[in-house]
Amino acid sequence: MALTIPSPSAMARHACTALLGLALAGCVRPAAPYLEKGSLLSHAGFVAHPANTTARFALMNSLPPGSLTYRMAPSGQRIYLYADPLACGCVYMGDETAYGTLQAHMQAIMQRKHAHRPPQDPPLPAMTAENYRDTTSWDWTVWSPAADPDNNQPRHMIGGYW
C-alpha cells in the first residue's frame, strides 16, 4: 500500500477550506436576540415606534439597548420601553397590562421543557435604578403622531439619512 502525499497547493486549498468553515461556524447573528424579544413584546401588546427622526433616534440611544426599562408618563403611570437599535431601529412601548402579559409569556416559555431559555428581563428595582441613572430628559411629545416626519423634516435612518 503506497502512501500519497498531497501537493502543496492541495494542502493549502484544504487549509483554506477548513479555515473558512471555522469562520462561518463562528458567525453570529447580532440581531437574533432582538428579533426574538421583539416578537415576544409584540405578542404581549407592546407597540413598536420607529426611531425615524433625529430626536427619536437620540432618545432610543439613551435607553439601554436590548433591555427592558421604563419611564414615567405625564399621567404618572409607568411606560415600559425596549430599545431595539439593530433589528427594527425602534422603541417598543407598553403599559402595565402589556408588561404583565409579557411576564406571563416568559413564565410559560420557561416552563416548556424543550424551549431554549429566553433572555431575562431585569427586575423592577434594576429598571428603577437605570431610570434614576439616566439623566436624559424623556420627551414624550417626540413620540406623538403629530411629531411624525413629513416631507419637509429630516428623517433619521440607521446608518444615514434618506
Side-chain angles (χ1 to χ4, degrees):
M1 178 189 276
L3 185 64
T4 59
I5 298 173
S7 69
S9 64
M11 287 175 51
R13 197 172 40 238
H14 291 301
C16 286
T17 303
L19 285 174
L20 181 62
L22 286 173
L24 288 176
C27 286
V28 293
R29 296 179 9 217
Y34 291 95
L35 291 169
E36 180 181 336
K37 188 67 173 200
S39 177
L40 285 171
L41 291 166
S42 294
H43 283 86
F46 282 73
V47 177
H49 296 274
N52 56 357
T53 66
T54 304
R56 289 178 182 177
F57 187 76
L59 284 175
M60 177 186 69
N61 285 331
S62 74
L63 297 171
S67 184
L68 200 63
T69 189
Y70 73 88
R71 296 293 183 264
M72 298 303 288
S75 63
Q77 77 177 77
R78 284 187 192 119
I79 301 296
Y80 293 90
L81 306 166
Y82 179 86
D84 182 351
L86 291 179
C88 72
C90 65
V91 176
Y92 288 90
M93 297 182 189
D95 58 9
E96 291 286 345
T97 305
Y99 179 70
T101 304
L102 176 65
Q103 295 303 319
H105 281 300
M106 297 296 278
Q107 287 295 332
I109 288 172
M110 289 182 61
Q111 288 175 357
R112 291 185 202 144
K113 294 183 188 238
H114 300 292
H116 65 283
R117 186 180 176 101
Q120 294 296 306
D121 292 323
L124 194 57
M127 285 191 243
T128 302
E130 187 281 325
N131 198 7
Y132 286 126
R133 176 207 55 84
D134 183 23
T135 57
T136 305
S137 175
W138 190 262
D139 184 6
W140 289 104
T141 61
V142 168
W143 301 98
S144 73
D148 282 341
D150 60 14
N151 292 335
N152 296 325
Q153 272 185 308
R155 294 184 286 177
H156 198 286
M157 181 177 81
I158 305 293
Y161 291 89
W162 75 84

